[in-house]
Amino acid sequence: MVTPPRDSSSSGAGTGSSGPGQTGDDVGGPIGGGRYADFLVAVGTSAGGLEALQRIFSGVSGDNRVAFMVIQHQSAAHDSRLAEILERHSGLPFRTLGPKTPLVAGQAFVAPPGCLLQVCSAPDGAAEVVLEDEQRQQEEKEL
């Protein structure tokens, strides 16, 4: 369980809105005055798992204390529209994860193609995501 600050005003919360595919690159806190998630639900699928993801998220609303993370095997050679596609089938806003994206309750996050990710505790106690280039990590293993 993540133990985030309860008052988003003390976390430097941003005031921007989230939209499909928006990344968290420049986000200093929860988007739109939201609150950090108490729980994280991660769903992983192979490249053919789109229909299953649509069915899962069609029954989920954003009125909860949970952040959702979607990790799908995707080619890094193509731009992903997964966040946009899933948002059309859900009551949740979806964003593509960026470096140090804060995990906000009632939102869903999609891992970008070609990245390995790690969920870590940020200095303010919130969870954040660290992205690593999958190809670079594979090259380091081969050395």
Side-chain angles (χ1 to χ4, degrees):
M1 184 166 114
V2 178
T3 52
R6 299 288 177 213
D7 178 15
S8 64
S9 64
S10 64
S11 65
T15 57
S17 63
S18 65
Q22 176 183 346
T23 64
D25 293 359
D26 57 354
V27 179
I31 293 202
R35 58 178 258 160
Y36 292 117
D38 291 325
F39 302 97
L40 173 63
V41 174
V43 180
T45 70
S46 65
L50 179 59
E51 184 179 336
L53 289 170
Q54 290 171 330
R55 290 177 66 193
I56 289 168
F57 288 106
S58 69
V60 178
S61 75
D63 186 25
N64 54 57
R65 301 176 354 194
V66 179
F68 296 88
M69 185 180 300
V70 176
I71 303 102
Q72 183 180 48
H73 186 257
Q74 302 176 65
S75 169
H78 304 287
D79 288 336
S80 174
R81 296 188 46 199
L82 185 59
E84 182 181 332
I85 292 167
L86 291 175
E87 188 168 283
R88 287 194 306 247
H89 291 79
S90 175
L92 292 170
F94 276 77
R95 293 175 41 215
T96 300
L97 288 166
K100 300 195 176 197
T101 301
L103 299 177
V104 179
Q107 293 188 22
F109 303 87
V110 175
C115 287
L116 300 173
L117 63 93
Q118 180 179 25
V119 178
C120 301
S121 180
D124 64 1
E128 69 181 17
V129 175
V130 177
L131 298 174
E132 244 184 87
D133 183 273
E134 189 174 28
Q135 183 175 358
R136 185 184 60 136
Q137 192 171 65
Q138 184 63 29
E139 289 169 358
E140 288 175 3
K141 283 183 181 179
E142 293 173 0
L143 292 177

